[in-house]
Short mmCIF file of all heavy atoms in Angstrom, two decimals:
data_model
loop_
_atom_site.label_atom_id
_atom_site.label_comp_id
_atom_site.label_asym_id
_atom_site.label_seq_id
_atom_site.Cartn_x
_atom_site.Cartn_y
_atom_site.Cartn_z
N TYR K 90 -0.23 0.93 12.75
CA TYR K 90 0.45 0.03 13.69
C TYR K 90 -0.38 -1.19 14.10
O TYR K 90 0.16 -2.14 14.66
CB TYR K 90 0.90 0.79 14.93
CG TYR K 90 -0.22 1.31 15.80
CD1 TYR K 90 -0.79 0.53 16.79
CD2 TYR K 90 -0.71 2.60 15.62
CE1 TYR K 90 -1.81 1.01 17.61
CE2 TYR K 90 -1.73 3.09 16.41
CZ TYR K 90 -2.27 2.28 17.41
OH TYR K 90 -3.29 2.75 18.18
N VAL K 114 -5.44 -9.32 16.78
CA VAL K 114 -4.84 -7.98 16.82
C VAL K 114 -3.33 -8.17 16.71
O VAL K 114 -2.70 -8.74 17.61
CB VAL K 114 -5.19 -7.23 18.13
CG1 VAL K 114 -4.45 -5.91 18.20
CG2 VAL K 114 -6.70 -7.01 18.22
N ARG K 115 -2.78 -7.72 15.58
CA ARG K 115 -1.36 -7.95 15.28
C ARG K 115 -0.60 -6.64 15.26
O ARG K 115 -1.03 -5.68 14.60
CB ARG K 115 -1.27 -8.64 13.91
CG ARG K 115 0.10 -8.61 13.28
CD ARG K 115 0.03 -9.16 11.85
NE ARG K 115 1.23 -8.88 11.11
CZ ARG K 115 1.35 -9.01 9.80
NH1 ARG K 115 0.31 -9.42 9.08
NH2 ARG K 115 2.48 -8.73 9.20
N GLU K 116 0.53 -6.60 15.96
CA GLU K 116 1.42 -5.42 15.89
C GLU K 116 2.02 -5.40 14.47
O GLU K 116 2.50 -6.41 13.98
CB GLU K 116 2.51 -5.54 16.95
CG GLU K 116 3.12 -4.20 17.36
CD GLU K 116 4.00 -3.58 16.31
OE1 GLU K 116 4.74 -4.32 15.64
OE2 GLU K 116 3.96 -2.34 16.14
N ASN K 117 2.00 -4.22 13.85
CA ASN K 117 2.27 -4.15 12.42
C ASN K 117 3.59 -3.50 12.05
O ASN K 117 3.88 -3.39 10.86
CB ASN K 117 1.15 -3.28 11.80
CG ASN K 117 0.37 -3.98 10.73
OD1 ASN K 117 0.71 -5.08 10.34
ND2 ASN K 117 -0.65 -3.33 10.24
N THR K 118 4.36 -3.00 12.99
CA THR K 118 5.46 -2.10 12.59
C THR K 118 6.85 -2.59 12.93
O THR K 118 7.82 -2.05 12.40
CB THR K 118 5.31 -0.71 13.27
OG1 THR K 118 5.41 -0.87 14.69
CG2 THR K 118 4.00 -0.06 12.91
N GLU K 119 6.99 -3.57 13.84
CA GLU K 119 8.37 -3.91 14.22
C GLU K 119 8.58 -5.42 14.21
O GLU K 119 8.21 -6.09 13.27
CB GLU K 119 8.74 -3.25 15.56
CG GLU K 119 7.82 -3.59 16.70
CD GLU K 119 8.29 -2.93 18.00
OE1 GLU K 119 8.93 -1.87 17.98
OE2 GLU K 119 7.98 -3.48 19.06
N ASP K 120 9.32 -5.95 15.17
CA ASP K 120 9.62 -7.39 15.19
C ASP K 120 10.58 -7.67 14.03
O ASP K 120 11.34 -6.80 13.61
CB ASP K 120 8.28 -8.15 15.06
CG ASP K 120 8.36 -9.62 15.45
OD1 ASP K 120 9.47 -10.14 15.56
OD2 ASP K 120 7.30 -10.23 15.64
N LEU K 121 10.54 -8.85 13.47
CA LEU K 121 11.48 -9.19 12.39
C LEU K 121 11.18 -8.43 11.10
O LEU K 121 11.98 -8.42 10.17
CB LEU K 121 11.46 -10.69 12.12
CG LEU K 121 12.30 -11.47 13.17
CD1 LEU K 121 11.88 -12.92 13.23
CD2 LEU K 121 13.78 -11.37 12.84
N TYR K 122 10.03 -7.75 11.05
CA TYR K 122 9.65 -7.01 9.84
C TYR K 122 10.33 -5.65 9.75
O TYR K 122 10.09 -4.90 8.81
CB TYR K 122 8.13 -6.83 9.78
CG TYR K 122 7.43 -8.14 9.53
CD1 TYR K 122 7.49 -9.15 10.49
CD2 TYR K 122 6.75 -8.39 8.36
CE1 TYR K 122 6.89 -10.38 10.27
CE2 TYR K 122 6.14 -9.61 8.14
CZ TYR K 122 6.22 -10.60 9.11
OH TYR K 122 5.62 -11.81 8.90
N ALA K 123 11.17 -5.32 10.72
CA ALA K 123 11.93 -4.08 10.62
C ALA K 123 12.91 -4.16 9.43
O ALA K 123 13.44 -3.15 8.99
CB ALA K 123 12.68 -3.81 11.92
N GLY K 124 13.11 -5.36 8.91
CA GLY K 124 13.94 -5.52 7.71
C GLY K 124 15.42 -5.30 7.96
O GLY K 124 16.17 -4.96 7.05
N LEU K 125 15.86 -5.48 9.21
CA LEU K 125 17.27 -5.26 9.55
C LEU K 125 18.02 -6.59 9.50
O LEU K 125 17.94 -7.39 10.43
CB LEU K 125 17.39 -4.62 10.94
CG LEU K 125 16.70 -3.26 11.08
CD1 LEU K 125 16.70 -2.79 12.51
CD2 LEU K 125 17.38 -2.23 10.19
N SER K 136 19.36 -11.55 11.45
CA SER K 136 18.11 -10.81 11.21
C SER K 136 17.67 -10.27 12.56
O SER K 136 17.49 -11.05 13.50
CB SER K 136 17.03 -11.74 10.67
OG SER K 136 17.45 -12.36 9.48
N LEU K 137 17.49 -8.98 12.65
CA LEU K 137 17.24 -8.39 13.97
C LEU K 137 15.74 -8.31 14.27
O LEU K 137 14.96 -7.81 13.47
CB LEU K 137 17.86 -6.99 14.04
CG LEU K 137 19.37 -6.96 13.83
CD1 LEU K 137 19.90 -5.54 13.95
CD2 LEU K 137 20.07 -7.87 14.84
N LYS K 138 15.40 -8.82 15.44
CA LYS K 138 14.02 -8.76 15.90
C LYS K 138 13.92 -7.59 16.88
O LYS K 138 14.53 -7.63 17.95
CB LYS K 138 13.67 -10.08 16.58
CG LYS K 138 12.36 -10.07 17.32
CD LYS K 138 11.97 -11.48 17.71
CE LYS K 138 10.86 -11.43 18.75
NZ LYS K 138 9.84 -12.44 18.50
N ILE K 139 13.17 -6.57 16.49
CA ILE K 139 13.07 -5.37 17.32
C ILE K 139 11.74 -5.38 18.07
O ILE K 139 10.68 -5.45 17.45
CB ILE K 139 13.13 -4.09 16.45
CG1 ILE K 139 14.35 -4.11 15.52
CG2 ILE K 139 13.10 -2.83 17.32
CD1 ILE K 139 15.69 -4.08 16.21
N ILE K 140 11.78 -5.32 19.38
CA ILE K 140 10.56 -5.20 20.20
C ILE K 140 10.76 -3.99 21.11
O ILE K 140 11.77 -3.90 21.81
CB ILE K 140 10.33 -6.45 21.08
CG1 ILE K 140 10.21 -7.72 20.23
CG2 ILE K 140 9.10 -6.27 21.97
CD1 ILE K 140 8.93 -7.90 19.46
N THR K 141 9.82 -3.04 21.06
CA THR K 141 9.94 -1.88 21.94
C THR K 141 8.74 -1.82 22.89
O THR K 141 7.65 -2.31 22.57
CB THR K 141 9.98 -0.56 21.14
OG1 THR K 141 8.71 -0.39 20.48
CG2 THR K 141 11.10 -0.55 20.11
N ALA K 142 8.97 -1.18 24.04
CA ALA K 142 7.88 -1.00 25.00
C ALA K 142 6.80 -0.12 24.40
O ALA K 142 5.60 -0.36 24.58
CB ALA K 142 8.42 -0.38 26.29
N ARG K 143 7.22 0.89 23.61
CA ARG K 143 6.25 1.83 23.05
C ARG K 143 5.28 1.12 22.09
O ARG K 143 4.06 1.25 22.20
CB ARG K 143 6.99 2.95 22.30
CG ARG K 143 6.10 3.91 21.57
CD ARG K 143 6.90 5.01 20.86
NE ARG K 143 6.04 5.79 19.99
CZ ARG K 143 5.82 5.50 18.71
NH1 ARG K 143 6.39 4.46 18.16
NH2 ARG K 143 5.01 6.25 18.00
N ALA K 144 5.84 0.34 21.14
CA ALA K 144 4.97 -0.34 20.17
C ALA K 144 4.15 -1.43 20.85
O ALA K 144 2.98 -1.64 20.51
CB ALA K 144 5.80 -0.92 19.04
N SER K 145 4.74 -2.11 21.84
CA SER K 145 3.99 -3.16 22.54
C SER K 145 2.83 -2.55 23.33
O SER K 145 1.72 -3.08 23.34
CB SER K 145 4.92 -3.92 23.50
OG SER K 145 6.00 -4.49 22.80
N GLU K 146 3.11 -1.40 23.95
CA GLU K 146 2.05 -0.76 24.74
C GLU K 146 0.91 -0.29 23.85
O GLU K 146 -0.26 -0.51 24.15
CB GLU K 146 2.64 0.43 25.51
CG GLU K 146 1.58 1.44 25.89
CD GLU K 146 1.65 1.94 27.31
OE1 GLU K 146 2.71 1.79 27.93
OE2 GLU K 146 0.63 2.48 27.78
N ARG K 147 1.23 0.35 22.73
CA ARG K 147 0.12 0.90 21.94
C ARG K 147 -0.72 -0.20 21.32
O ARG K 147 -1.93 -0.06 21.18
CB ARG K 147 0.56 1.97 20.95
CG ARG K 147 1.38 1.50 19.80
CD ARG K 147 1.72 2.70 18.88
NE ARG K 147 2.55 2.24 17.79
CZ ARG K 147 2.91 2.96 16.76
NH1 ARG K 147 2.52 4.22 16.67
NH2 ARG K 147 3.66 2.46 15.80
N ILE K 148 -0.10 -1.34 20.94
CA ILE K 148 -0.92 -2.41 20.37
C ILE K 148 -1.74 -3.09 21.48
O ILE K 148 -2.89 -3.50 21.26
CB ILE K 148 -0.07 -3.44 19.59
CG1 ILE K 148 -0.96 -4.29 18.69
CG2 ILE K 148 0.76 -4.34 20.48
CD1 ILE K 148 -1.61 -3.57 17.57
N ALA K 149 -1.17 -3.19 22.68
CA ALA K 149 -1.93 -3.79 23.79
C ALA K 149 -3.11 -2.89 24.16
O ALA K 149 -4.23 -3.37 24.36
CB ALA K 149 -1.01 -4.03 24.99
N ALA K 166 -2.58 -12.79 25.17
CA ALA K 166 -1.31 -12.43 24.53
C ALA K 166 -0.61 -13.70 24.07
O ALA K 166 -0.54 -14.69 24.81
CB ALA K 166 -0.43 -11.65 25.51
N VAL K 167 -0.09 -13.68 22.85
CA VAL K 167 0.58 -14.85 22.27
C VAL K 167 2.05 -14.50 22.07
O VAL K 167 2.37 -13.45 21.50
CB VAL K 167 -0.08 -15.23 20.93
CG1 VAL K 167 0.60 -16.45 20.33
CG2 VAL K 167 -1.57 -15.48 21.13
N HIS K 168 2.96 -15.36 22.54
CA HIS K 168 4.38 -14.98 22.60
C HIS K 168 5.26 -16.22 22.64
O HIS K 168 4.76 -17.36 22.62
CB HIS K 168 4.61 -14.15 23.87
CG HIS K 168 4.27 -14.94 25.09
ND1 HIS K 168 5.20 -15.73 25.74
CD2 HIS K 168 3.09 -15.11 25.75
CE1 HIS K 168 4.60 -16.36 26.75
NE2 HIS K 168 3.33 -15.99 26.78
N LYS K 169 6.55 -16.01 22.75
CA LYS K 169 7.50 -17.10 22.95
C LYS K 169 8.52 -16.61 23.99
O LYS K 169 9.74 -16.68 23.79
CB LYS K 169 8.16 -17.45 21.61
CG LYS K 169 8.96 -18.72 21.60
CD LYS K 169 8.11 -19.98 21.45
CE LYS K 169 8.98 -21.21 21.56
NZ LYS K 169 8.24 -22.47 21.58
N ALA K 170 7.99 -16.08 25.09
CA ALA K 170 8.85 -15.44 26.08
C ALA K 170 9.67 -16.46 26.87
O ALA K 170 10.61 -16.09 27.57
CB ALA K 170 8.01 -14.59 27.04
N ILE K 172 11.55 -18.57 25.46
CA ILE K 172 12.82 -18.66 24.72
C ILE K 172 13.43 -17.27 24.52
O ILE K 172 14.58 -17.04 24.84
CB ILE K 172 12.60 -19.35 23.35
CG1 ILE K 172 11.98 -20.73 23.52
CG2 ILE K 172 13.91 -19.41 22.57
CD1 ILE K 172 12.85 -21.74 24.25
N MET K 173 12.62 -16.35 23.96
CA MET K 173 13.11 -14.97 23.76
C MET K 173 12.73 -14.15 24.98
O MET K 173 11.77 -13.37 24.96
CB MET K 173 12.54 -14.41 22.46
CG MET K 173 13.35 -14.88 21.27
SD MET K 173 12.43 -14.88 19.74
CE MET K 173 11.43 -16.34 19.92
N LYS K 174 13.51 -14.37 26.05
CA LYS K 174 13.13 -13.83 27.35
C LYS K 174 13.15 -12.31 27.35
O LYS K 174 12.35 -11.68 28.03
CB LYS K 174 14.05 -14.39 28.44
CG LYS K 174 13.90 -15.90 28.62
CD LYS K 174 14.81 -16.42 29.69
CE LYS K 174 14.95 -17.93 29.67
NZ LYS K 174 13.75 -18.71 29.83
N LEU K 175 14.06 -11.71 26.61
CA LEU K 175 14.12 -10.26 26.59
C LEU K 175 13.08 -9.67 25.65
O LEU K 175 12.25 -8.84 26.05
CB LEU K 175 15.52 -9.79 26.19
CG LEU K 175 16.62 -10.06 27.22
CD1 LEU K 175 17.95 -9.49 26.72
CD2 LEU K 175 16.27 -9.43 28.56
N GLY K 176 13.12 -10.07 24.37
CA GLY K 176 12.23 -9.47 23.36
C GLY K 176 10.77 -9.79 23.63
O GLY K 176 9.96 -8.89 23.92
N ASP K 177 10.42 -11.06 23.55
CA ASP K 177 9.02 -11.43 23.82
C ASP K 177 8.67 -11.19 25.28
O ASP K 177 7.51 -10.94 25.62
CB ASP K 177 8.78 -12.89 23.42
CG ASP K 177 8.66 -13.05 21.91
OD1 ASP K 177 9.12 -12.15 21.18
OD2 ASP K 177 8.11 -14.07 21.46
N GLY K 178 9.69 -11.25 26.15
CA GLY K 178 9.47 -10.95 27.56
C GLY K 178 8.99 -9.51 27.74
O GLY K 178 8.07 -9.23 28.52
N LEU K 179 9.59 -8.59 27.00
CA LEU K 179 9.17 -7.18 27.08
C LEU K 179 7.74 -7.03 26.56
O LEU K 179 6.91 -6.32 27.15
CB LEU K 179 10.13 -6.30 26.26
CG LEU K 179 9.76 -4.82 26.15
CD1 LEU K 179 9.68 -4.16 27.53
CD2 LEU K 179 10.78 -4.08 25.27
N PHE K 180 7.45 -7.71 25.45
CA PHE K 180 6.08 -7.66 24.89
C PHE K 180 5.08 -8.16 25.93
O PHE K 180 4.07 -7.51 26.21
CB PHE K 180 6.01 -8.52 23.62
CG PHE K 180 4.65 -8.60 23.01
CD1 PHE K 180 4.15 -7.56 22.24
CD2 PHE K 180 3.84 -9.72 23.21
CE1 PHE K 180 2.87 -7.62 21.69
CE2 PHE K 180 2.57 -9.79 22.66
CZ PHE K 180 2.09 -8.75 21.90
N LEU K 181 5.39 -9.31 26.56
CA LEU K 181 4.45 -9.91 27.51
C LEU K 181 4.31 -9.05 28.77
O LEU K 181 3.18 -8.81 29.24
CB LEU K 181 4.95 -11.32 27.88
CG LEU K 181 4.10 -12.09 28.89
CD1 LEU K 181 2.66 -12.22 28.43
CD2 LEU K 181 4.71 -13.47 29.15
N ASP K 182 5.43 -8.56 29.29
CA ASP K 182 5.35 -7.70 30.48
C ASP K 182 4.50 -6.47 30.20
O ASP K 182 3.70 -6.03 31.04
CB ASP K 182 6.75 -7.27 30.92
CG ASP K 182 7.51 -8.42 31.57
OD1 ASP K 182 6.87 -9.44 31.90
OD2 ASP K 182 8.74 -8.29 31.72
N THR K 183 4.70 -5.90 29.01
CA THR K 183 3.94 -4.69 28.66
C THR K 183 2.45 -5.02 28.56
O THR K 183 1.60 -4.26 29.04
CB THR K 183 4.46 -4.11 27.33
OG1 THR K 183 5.87 -3.98 27.40
CG2 THR K 183 3.84 -2.75 27.05
N CYS K 184 2.13 -6.16 27.95
CA CYS K 184 0.71 -6.58 27.86
C CYS K 184 0.12 -6.73 29.27
O CYS K 184 -1.02 -6.35 29.52
CB CYS K 184 0.58 -7.90 27.10
SG CYS K 184 0.99 -7.78 25.36
N ARG K 185 0.91 -7.31 30.17
CA ARG K 185 0.42 -7.50 31.55
C ARG K 185 0.13 -6.16 32.22
O ARG K 185 -0.88 -6.01 32.92
CB ARG K 185 1.44 -8.28 32.38
CG ARG K 185 1.46 -9.75 32.01
CD ARG K 185 2.41 -10.53 32.90
NE ARG K 185 2.29 -11.96 32.65
CZ ARG K 185 3.31 -12.81 32.60
NH1 ARG K 185 4.55 -12.37 32.81
NH2 ARG K 185 3.10 -14.08 32.36
N LEU K 219 -3.73 -11.27 20.90
CA LEU K 219 -2.86 -10.10 20.78
C LEU K 219 -1.45 -10.60 20.50
O LEU K 219 -0.86 -11.31 21.32
CB LEU K 219 -2.93 -9.33 22.11
CG LEU K 219 -1.91 -8.25 22.41
CD1 LEU K 219 -1.92 -7.17 21.34
CD2 LEU K 219 -2.21 -7.63 23.79
N LEU K 220 -0.91 -10.26 19.32
CA LEU K 220 0.36 -10.87 18.91
C LEU K 220 1.35 -9.85 18.35
O LEU K 220 0.96 -8.91 17.66
CB LEU K 220 0.12 -11.91 17.80
CG LEU K 220 -0.94 -12.97 18.04
CD1 LEU K 220 -2.24 -12.57 17.36
CD2 LEU K 220 -0.50 -14.31 17.49
N PRO K 221 2.66 -10.12 18.56
CA PRO K 221 3.67 -9.36 17.83
C PRO K 221 3.59 -9.70 16.34
O PRO K 221 2.92 -10.67 15.95
CB PRO K 221 5.00 -9.82 18.44
CG PRO K 221 4.68 -10.80 19.50
CD PRO K 221 3.23 -11.15 19.44
N ASN K 222 4.33 -8.96 15.53
CA ASN K 222 4.15 -8.97 14.08
C ASN K 222 4.26 -10.36 13.42
O ASN K 222 3.35 -10.80 12.71
CB ASN K 222 5.20 -8.01 13.49
CG ASN K 222 4.75 -7.41 12.18
OD1 ASN K 222 3.87 -7.93 11.54
ND2 ASN K 222 5.39 -6.32 11.79
N LEU K 223 5.37 -11.05 13.64
CA LEU K 223 5.58 -12.31 12.91
C LEU K 223 4.56 -13.38 13.29
O LEU K 223 3.93 -14.00 12.43
CB LEU K 223 7.00 -12.83 13.15
CG LEU K 223 7.32 -14.17 12.49
CD1 LEU K 223 7.25 -14.09 10.97
CD2 LEU K 223 8.71 -14.67 12.90
N TYR K 224 4.36 -13.59 14.58
CA TYR K 224 3.36 -14.60 14.99
C TYR K 224 1.98 -14.19 14.49
O TYR K 224 1.16 -15.02 14.10
CB TYR K 224 3.31 -14.78 16.52
CG TYR K 224 4.65 -14.95 17.19
CD1 TYR K 224 4.90 -14.40 18.44
CD2 TYR K 224 5.67 -15.67 16.58
CE1 TYR K 224 6.12 -14.54 19.08
CE2 TYR K 224 6.90 -15.81 17.20
CZ TYR K 224 7.13 -15.24 18.44
OH TYR K 224 8.34 -15.38 19.06
N GLY K 225 1.73 -12.88 14.51
CA GLY K 225 0.43 -12.38 14.04
C GLY K 225 0.21 -12.67 12.58
O GLY K 225 -0.89 -13.05 12.16
N ASP K 226 1.25 -12.51 11.79
CA ASP K 226 1.16 -12.77 10.35
C ASP K 226 0.78 -14.23 10.12
O ASP K 226 -0.15 -14.55 9.36
CB ASP K 226 2.52 -12.44 9.71
CG ASP K 226 2.46 -12.41 8.20
OD1 ASP K 226 1.37 -12.61 7.64
OD2 ASP K 226 3.52 -12.20 7.58
#
Side-chain angles (χ1 to χ4, degrees):
Y90 67 87
V114 175
R115 164 187 167 194
E116 203 288 322
N117 238 354
T118 63
E119 56 178 28
D120 196 345
L121 281 159
Y122 291 65
L125 300 172
S136 302
L137 300 181
K138 169 168 165 139
I139 308 296
I140 301 286
T141 65
R143 174 179 171 270
S145 302
E146 157 135 19
R147 69 179 178 172
I148 196 67
V167 181
H168 60 89
K169 191 80 185 173
I172 303 295
M173 278 155 283
K174 295 180 195 301
L175 291 182
D177 283 19
L179 176 59
F180 177 79
L181 179 56
D182 286 346
T183 309
C184 292
R185 286 184 173 140
L219 166 58
L220 309 98
N222 208 341
L223 177 63
Y224 312 143
D226 191 2

